[in-house]
Amino acid sequence: MLYEEWRSPLNASLHFITTHVYVRSFYNEIIFRCVGCAIGRKLIQKDEKMIHKYKLNGYNVVLDVNSGAIHVVDDLASEILDLIEDEHIAEEPSTNIVQRLVRRYSQDKVEETWLELYKLYKAEELFSKDHYEEMASKLGESPIKAMCLNVAHDCNLRCEYCFASKGDFGAGRELMSLEIAKAAIDFLVKFSAERHNLEVDFFGGEPLMNFDVVKSTVNYAKSLEQAYGKHFRFTITTNGLLLTDDTINFINENMDNVVLSLDGRKQVNDGLRVTAKGTGSYDAIVPKYQELVKRRKKLGKDYYVRGTFTRRNLDFTKDVLHMNRLGFDQISIEPVVADENLDYSIGEDDLDRIFKEYEILQKEIISQRKKGNYFNFFHFMLDLDQGPCAIKRLKGCGCGNEYISVTPNGDIFPCHQFVGKPDWKMGNVTENEFDESIKAYFSRANIYTKADCRNCWAKFYCSGGCNANNLQYAGDILKANKISCDLERKRLECAIALKIAEANFNLN
């Protein structure tokens, strides 16, 4: 049998019967079930009904894209699904299918397995219909809830791959004044309408180069909370060079999250993350990160160490494990996004090697968890019980609609990666200007308005990818960046396989 029962999604998502597993996951939205999908070896699709099949770690994984059901099945069930010519499963198998399968399996087993698949089909957990496009078409503009505050268009590092032109965004080095920062907070309060929870991310460049403004801005925002019925959450992203006891204490007391930039092993990090004098940064920042994280863990607050891998370190599993050995248990390492002509950029000819590395990393995480060493890799973190809300599944990060970025002179852009692109300037926080037409354009961008996304089985996790990357490398926010898509699908494959292993070996 494929399955007999499933446990409440609040308690567990996976249920094993002998060698079989049935996974069910839900959204916390009434009209949605949490959509689960992953890269694989076969996509069966007709009339917007999709399942996806792949094999990893010895498991045959079947993902029903529209319902979110994930099934781990035996070889017979997998073969039956290969033989189904359309999205319909009849109550009984055809004579032709039975004759093709009884050469290797008993007829009773074929009929029993077919019946289980039929039950899943009737329950709309195989070849389920897509009920979400109609909802997506009704999603419009939303109040702004998050702001990236570029307090420093300057940096004390000169990272070769920096999307921000090594810190100044190609427009000269500049720090944000407190007056501009306060105007930005006022703008966020005004355009957030009735939203209670607001987010501010202090970004650069290197925001610690303008830390007095960071501190004053936090205090100013907090002073508005009671009067306007708001609650601010703060995040800061730093390269660590300017961390001191005082800055660490302020960050840990006031920032709800902190992102620490580090590329992994010393030789990897210092190859591209160098100071203005060309020297490496590893030795200067690692002890400071360790101290910050040690104190932060005692407070139970979030953080993660974020790296970038390039063609020079396609063995990035070693970098993840190195960062874990340094004492970090919340880790992300992202593929570089750079001009294809640069020697460290990633091209299509690197994908097979990267796919293999993601599989190596996934297996290493399983091995480490069996030993009691539990750490998270950002791209393998999936919540199959609840997951992001339905709107986020359909539209992604919300840049240009719910999320904006503000530069040191007050200019507004859809996100920090659009900064410096004149056509995408949305206004200025000091001049009471705001281009609602750009906001409306971004509000209509979703997985169904992006041609490459609507028929992709990964769409409900990827949510249409990064609009900025799409614009830079495909020329349009509605056109997918192929390499990014391929990498995202592979990460999803590994992430779901990791969830299956967690249940199988009780590693949660």
Side-chain angles (χ1 to χ4, degrees), residues 139-153:
L139 296 176
E141 297 181 47
S142 301
I144 297 172
K145 68 176 183 180
M147 173 180 287
C148 181
L149 207 55
N150 286 22
V151 294
H153 277 191

Side-chain angles (χ1 to χ4, degrees), residues 283-341:
D283 290 337
I285 63 177
V286 166
K288 297 177 181 181
Y289 286 168
Q290 290 172 320
E291 182 61 27
L292 184 150
V293 169
K294 181 179 73 173
R295 298 183 195 179
R296 196 165 184 84
K297 285 181 177 180
K298 293 178 181 178
L299 300 173
K301 286 193 168 184
D302 293 334
Y303 80 96
Y304 70 92
V305 178
R306 184 203 180 280
T308 298
F309 73 84
T310 72
R311 181 175 287 170
R312 297 180 184 178
N313 64 312
L314 297 181
D315 59 347
F316 53 83
T317 295
K318 295 177 181 177
D319 294 294
V320 172
L321 295 177
H322 177 79
M323 289 189 278
N324 179 238
R325 286 193 294 271
L326 291 175
F328 308 127
D329 56 10
Q330 306 299 321
I331 301 168
S332 175
I333 189 162
E334 315 281 340
V336 69
V337 179
D339 187 307
E340 63 182 9
N341 296 315

